[in-house]
Amino acid sequence: MRWWDIGPVLELEHELFPEDAWSAGMFWSELAHARGPQATRRYIVAEDAAGRLVGYAGLAAAGDLADVQTIAAARDQWGTGLGARLLTDLLRAATAFECAEVLLEVRVDNTRAQKLYERFGFEPIGFRRGYYQPGNVDALVMRLTDPAQARTESSESNG
């Protein structure tokens, strides 16, 4: 993801997450940590054949722990494998950052995303009550140990 992607990303963000969309400032802040030798973030976008932005994802790394910050695919891309491709890229980044574990939060009512994460080996470890605001929706916290191995298993089973 580059600065010129922020406008289209925000459009998709507001379409998919109208109650708790990230602001432009949040994306700018994340991108500030995604370049150079001291980078601790990986942000990517996906475009369709016509050049339309149809997905994006981001990961933050700290020590041996990574956290999936965001992952989204346009509704017309659901079921195409885009989410799995985005997640695979993030897990490769976690491996490159030498992270032993990857955490994420997912809305408790987003079973489609939960199933994707489970396919990659993420396991539920707890809840964050009222995590998504202003809707006061709980988050399911999921953890993946050994992201390099999970990526290999997922690509073999989907491939």
Side-chain angles (χ1 to χ4, degrees):
M1 183 184 299
R2 302 302 294 265
W3 66 266
W4 53 81
D5 294 314
I6 290 179
V9 163
L10 285 172
E11 288 178 30
L12 187 54
E13 176 81 1
H14 286 281
E15 177 187 326
L16 295 172
F17 312 111
E19 283 190 359
D20 48 13
W22 280 25
S23 68
M26 293 170 78
F27 281 107
W28 278 105
S29 177
E30 288 295 298
L31 288 182
H33 300 284
R35 297 275 182 255
Q38 302 299 318
T40 58
R41 306 288 195 276
R42 167 83 171 148
Y43 275 80
I44 56 172
V45 295
E47 296 179 340
D48 65 11
R52 178 179 66 106
L53 190 136
V54 294
Y56 57 91
L59 177 100
D64 66 350
L65 182 65
D67 190 78
V68 173
Q69 299 291 296
T70 186
I71 187 166
R75 285 187 177 91
D76 65 345
Q77 299 295 308
W78 291 1
T80 67
L82 177 58
R85 291 190 300 276
L86 291 168
L87 184 56
T88 296
D89 188 283
L90 295 184
L91 295 180
R92 283 187 185 126
T95 301
F97 283 128
E98 299 180 354
C99 296
E101 292 185 332
V102 180
L103 295 175
L104 61 81
E105 292 87 11
V106 59
R107 289 174 65 105
V108 293
D109 57 1
N110 190 346
T111 57
R112 184 182 47 79
Q114 291 172 31
K115 288 179 183 179
L116 169 67
Y117 302 139
E118 288 169 358
R119 278 194 353 241
F120 277 75
F122 282 85
E123 297 177 338
I125 61 168
F127 294 93
R128 295 190 195 277
R129 302 286 177 211
Y131 183 79
Y132 293 99
Q133 294 296 328
N136 202 36
V137 177
D138 295 344
L140 174 65
V141 181
M142 301 181 82
R143 177 179 58 205
L144 173 69
T145 54
D146 194 0
Q149 183 64 31
R151 187 186 77 246
T152 301
E153 290 172 4
S154 176
S155 59
E156 289 174 2
S157 65
N158 291 330

